[in-house]
């Protein structure tokens, strides 16, 4: 079980514990944290750190000047890397952080950093409001969360542009390009669309630009990826996982929860319907996380999952073995499947600016009020997981955490699509890159929208793979895609310089 042993070597002690364990589908977040740490691994060069940390005072509400005048503000964290920057001609690369803590390594590693070196760019990485250190003392309270939105986050970036331009004496000779992946990939595209005078182009990697309440397509892609031979999957593997969850659902319907609690090491009984939802979501998120981040960690891949699922002819026993190995990796003696504990933990409004990892309470708020993205397992879909993972059960989070009626969510989602354009955003000089294995590509842009809105679809790659640093074993399709993206962005920069020369 190669992928399990590799996971043990990665900074597991830095994982969130109780909070993550209390959230539906928590194993997914554990995998995400491991991947984030891998992506921002230490350079190990022994040289002085070229990255500086800055804070900029932002109004809590950009669209209400009264609240700004009353001093309602927060401090937004930035990391700036001048290592490659040539003051006379260098562009600015703005990396936009999403729903979690910003690590300083983002300002010096990854595809954007490699490209920055080749074009002498200044790198600026901006933390998202209300995540990491960029939050005020009462930012997690319900009244303050109303200021957490993508619109406010984009307005923050406009202020960052002004702040950096003033600090470094930047002019129109220093064009800006923005970068982001996943949610921040959508922000990158939207920043170019809503503030085209500030950035000349954007890379939107794995960007779910279409908001959707019932995101059935996520698990459909998971199923297809499990069957994909290009990444080591096969039909038998997907069938084994599907059959395991059919058995789990049948046992839960029969009230035979004791067997499942023992098989899957639940800390407490799963007799309550919402505890059962948490239970099956935790199990599903092991597979979801591996598929979404396939091969991001050496050995953490679909091939490894399928190897475990094909050990015997008993799907339930195989999945129990997969769960057991995952628990060993995460140093868990049992799994917390209590929905009530989830509510208690996510209801915690204590701000900790030194906390690392994703902001669970904040992100759930954003899904309830703007995006949806609920990964359901409805009938007549190809979802291989439990049918208990339906829309009403998942939207109940919004009412339990924030008193938001499930009936309101589609209205919020509709507004988001109308405001930004859904999967047909109209802008210019935007690259939408997606991987075929990544479930989020279902909400992205997969074909060119115009001569200047480019789609780069990468066969056999997963979530945000193109944003990572170059590695010797990168698949050829990924290498080709990065070269294409680099060519497009450097073309934008040349065009911007030429326009400036012609205007003089």
């Amino acid at each position: 079980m190669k992928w399990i042993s590799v996971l043990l070597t990665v900074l597991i002690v830095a994982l969130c514990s109780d909070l993550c364990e209390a959230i539906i589908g928590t194993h997914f977040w554990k995998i995400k944290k491991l991947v984030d740490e891998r992506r921002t691994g230490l350079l190990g060069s022994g040289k002085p750190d070229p990255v500086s940390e800055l804070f900029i005072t932002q109004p809590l509400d950009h669209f209400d000047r009264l609240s700004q005048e009353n001093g309602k503000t927060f401090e937004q964290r930035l990391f700036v890397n001048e290592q490659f920057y040539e003051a006379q001609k260098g562009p600015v690369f703005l990396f936009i952080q999403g729903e979690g803590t910003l690590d300083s390594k983002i300002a010096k590693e990854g595809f954007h950093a490699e490209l920055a070196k080749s074009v002498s760019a200044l790198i600026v990485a901006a933390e998202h409001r209300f995540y990491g250190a960029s939050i005020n003392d009462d930012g997690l309270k319900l009244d303050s969360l109303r200021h957490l939105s993508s619109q406010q986050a984009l307005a923050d970036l406009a202020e960052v542009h002004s702040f950096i331009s003033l600090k470094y004496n930047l002019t129109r000779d220093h064009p800006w390009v923005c970068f982001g992946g996943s949610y921040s990939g959508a922000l990158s595209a939207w920043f170019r669309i809503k503030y085209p005078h500030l950035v000349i182009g954007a890379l939107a990697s794995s960007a779910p630009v279409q908001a959707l309440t019932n995101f059935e397509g996520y698990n459909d892609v998971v199923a297809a990826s499990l069957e994909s031979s290009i990444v080591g999957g096969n039909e038998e593997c997907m069938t084994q996982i599907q059959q395991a969850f059919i058995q789990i659902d049948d046992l839960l319907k029969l009230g035979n929860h004791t067997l499942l609690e023992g098989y899957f090491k639940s800390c407490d009984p799963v007799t309550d319907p919402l505890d059962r939802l948490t239970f099956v979501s935790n199990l599903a998120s092991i597979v979801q996380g591996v598929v979404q981040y396939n091969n991001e960690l050496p050995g953490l891949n679909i091939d490894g999952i399928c190897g475990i699922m094909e050990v015997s002819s008993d799907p339930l026993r195989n999945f129990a073995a997969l769960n057991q190995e995952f628990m060993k990796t995460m140093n868990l003696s049992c799994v917390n499947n209590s929905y009530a504990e989830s509510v208690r933990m996510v209801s915690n409004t204590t701000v900790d600016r030194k906390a690392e990892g994703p902001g669970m309470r904040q992100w759930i708020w954003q899904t309830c009020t703007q995006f949806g993205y609920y990964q359901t397992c409805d009938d007549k879909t190809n979802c291989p997981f439990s049918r208990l993972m339906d829309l009403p059960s998942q939207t109940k989070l919004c009412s339990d955490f924030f008193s938001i009626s499930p009936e309101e969510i589609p209205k919020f989602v509709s507004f988001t699509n109308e405001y930004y354009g859904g999967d047909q955003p109209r802008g210019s000089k935007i690259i939408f890159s997606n991987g075929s294995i990544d479930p989020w590509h279902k909400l992205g842009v997969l074909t060119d929208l115009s001569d200047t809105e480019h789609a780069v679809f990468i066969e056999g790659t997963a979530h945000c793979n193109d944003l990572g640093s170059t590695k010797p074993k990168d698949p050829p399709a990924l290498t080709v895609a990065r070269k294409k993206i680099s060519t497009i962005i450097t073309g934008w920069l040349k065009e911007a310089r030429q326009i400036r020369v012609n205007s003089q």
Side-chain angles (χ1 to χ4, degrees):
M1 299 182 182
K2 181 180 176 183
W3 70 277
I4 294 294
S5 63
V6 172
L7 278 173
L8 287 168
T9 68
V10 186
L11 305 170
I12 291 175
V13 293
L15 290 172
C16 49
S17 53
D18 290 344
L19 178 60
C20 280
E21 273 307 305
I23 307 302
I24 289 179
T26 61
H27 294 330
F28 172 89
W29 290 97
K30 292 179 182 296
I31 293 173
K32 181 182 187 301
K33 183 64 165 58
L34 290 173
V35 170
D36 287 346
E37 296 215 357
R38 173 76 176 189
R39 285 177 176 170
T40 57
L42 294 175
L43 286 174
S45 65
K47 297 179 180 180
D49 193 341
V51 177
S52 58
E53 182 182 51
L54 304 174
F55 283 87
I56 173 176
T57 301
Q58 294 277 15
L60 201 58
D61 188 347
H62 288 278
F63 310 111
D64 183 349
R65 286 300 170 182
L66 181 60
S67 67
Q68 182 179 354
E69 291 165 5
N70 282 341
K72 296 180 179 179
T73 63
F74 73 97
E75 299 297 306
Q76 182 180 17
R77 178 164 58 181
L78 309 177
F79 288 110
V80 180
N81 182 0
E82 303 178 47
Q83 182 180 14
F84 314 120
Y85 179 53
E86 291 186 16
Q88 296 302 314
K89 62 177 182 178
V92 180
F93 283 2
L94 173 62
F95 191 95
I96 305 167
Q97 177 68 3
E99 67 281 16
T101 301
L102 177 65
D103 193 297
S104 65
K105 302 178 192 72
I106 289 293
K108 59 187 175 184
E109 298 183 1
F111 167 77
H112 60 288
E114 293 174 355
L115 185 57
K117 183 177 181 179
S118 69
V119 298
S120 305
L122 177 71
I123 302 176
V124 179
E127 191 167 61
H128 196 294
R129 62 165 47 207
F130 286 55
Y131 291 95
S134 301
I135 186 170
N136 58 329
D137 289 336
D138 61 353
L140 294 180
K141 294 179 180 178
L142 191 54
D143 185 59
S144 289
L145 284 176
R146 63 190 176 90
H147 298 295
L148 172 56
S149 70
S150 59
Q151 289 85 359
Q152 296 282 4
L154 295 180
D156 289 338
L157 296 176
E159 292 294 325
V160 168
H161 186 284
S162 297
F163 174 82
I164 294 295
S165 295
L166 182 62
K167 180 176 177 61
Y168 289 92
N169 297 313
L170 304 180
T171 68
R172 291 176 61 190
D173 291 327
H174 302 83
W176 288 58
V177 178
C178 55
F179 299 76
S182 195
Y183 164 53
S184 77
L187 289 174
S188 181
W190 295 336
F191 192 51
R192 168 61 184 165
I193 291 169
K194 295 298 184 180
Y195 296 85
H197 56 294
L198 298 184
V199 291
I200 66 163
L203 173 60
S205 174
S206 297
V209 291
Q210 180 185 0
L212 186 65
T213 304
N214 188 358
F215 187 13
E216 295 174 327
Y218 184 97
N219 288 321
D220 283 344
V221 176
V222 170
S225 298
L226 290 168
E227 292 182 334
S228 176
S229 60
I230 195 173
V231 288
N234 58 74
E235 186 176 350
E236 176 61 23
C237 174
M238 201 282 285
T239 300
Q240 283 275 318
I241 292 172
Q242 187 178 54
Q243 290 298 316
F245 276 95
I246 289 174
Q247 290 180 260
I248 290 169
D249 281 357
D250 286 344
L251 288 168
L252 289 174
K253 288 177 184 177
L254 292 171
N256 197 351
H257 55 86
T258 304
L259 174 64
L260 293 174
E261 292 158 8
Y263 246 50
F264 294 99
K265 308 297 181 183
S266 180
C267 297
D268 297 296
V270 291
T271 53
D272 183 86
L274 290 173
D275 293 343
R276 293 179 179 182
L277 170 64
T278 309
F279 170 69
V280 296
S281 296
N282 274 327
L283 294 178
S285 68
I286 298 174
V287 180
Q288 290 171 322
V290 170
V291 169
Q292 179 166 316
Y293 297 110
N294 187 56
N295 278 328
E296 277 284 335
L297 296 170
L300 177 62
N301 51 35
I302 293 169
D303 184 62
I305 286 262
C306 290
I308 295 173
M309 289 305 302
E310 295 170 11
V311 168
S312 77
S313 60
D314 184 344
L316 191 64
R317 186 177 297 276
N318 291 339
F319 206 92
L322 174 64
N323 179 69
Q324 184 65 29
E325 291 297 326
F326 194 89
M327 289 176 59
K328 288 180 182 178
T329 300
M330 299 302 171
N331 195 29
L332 300 173
S333 59
C334 62
V335 177
N336 188 338
N337 295 307
S338 169
Y339 182 84
E341 185 68 5
S342 299
V343 174
R344 187 185 73 81
M345 290 293 182
V346 179
S347 297
N348 181 11
T349 60
T350 302
V351 170
D352 180 5
R353 293 185 181 84
K354 295 182 179 180
E356 297 181 354
M360 297 292 188
R361 178 173 171 83
Q362 302 97 303
W363 181 241
I364 292 173
W365 166 265
Q366 289 195 261
T367 62
C368 293
T369 57
Q370 287 205 288
F371 306 122
Y373 297 154
Y374 301 110
Q375 299 153 22
T376 58
C377 197
D378 296 336
D379 292 332
K380 299 181 181 179
T381 68
N382 294 324
C383 175
F385 307 124
S386 172
R387 298 310 186 203
L388 295 178
M389 296 163 58
D390 59 12
L391 186 62
S393 297
Q394 297 196 47
T395 55
K396 192 177 187 301
L397 292 167
C398 300
S399 57
D400 287 350
F401 293 163
F402 308 115
S403 299
I404 295 173
S405 168
E407 289 72 29
E408 293 180 281
I409 299 172
K411 299 176 184 177
F412 299 147
V413 167
S414 179
F415 171 80
T416 299
N417 287 326
E418 291 171 1
Y419 187 81
Y420 293 120
D423 61 355
Q424 296 290 315
R426 292 305 178 191
S428 63
K429 296 183 179 176
I430 304 172
I431 303 169
F432 298 96
S433 58
N434 286 279
S436 65
I437 302 303
D438 179 18
W440 289 100
H441 82 247
K442 278 287 187 178
L443 298 182
V445 175
L446 306 182
T447 58
D448 290 356
L449 297 178
S450 69
D451 291 341
T452 61
E453 285 185 293
H454 309 278
V456 178
F457 194 69
I458 315 168
E459 288 291 341
T461 60
H463 198 58
C464 300
N465 278 173
D466 55 307
L467 289 183
S469 299
T470 302
K471 300 180 182 65
K473 294 185 179 180
D474 283 337
L478 179 57
T479 300
V480 170
R482 286 196 182 121
K483 287 182 179 178
K484 181 178 180 179
I485 293 168
S486 297
T487 299
I488 294 172
I489 293 175
T490 54
W492 292 342
L493 295 173
K494 290 178 182 177
E495 182 181 344
R497 284 195 293 270
Q498 189 60 47
I499 291 174
R500 183 60 178 160
V501 168
N502 293 340
S503 66
Q504 291 176 346

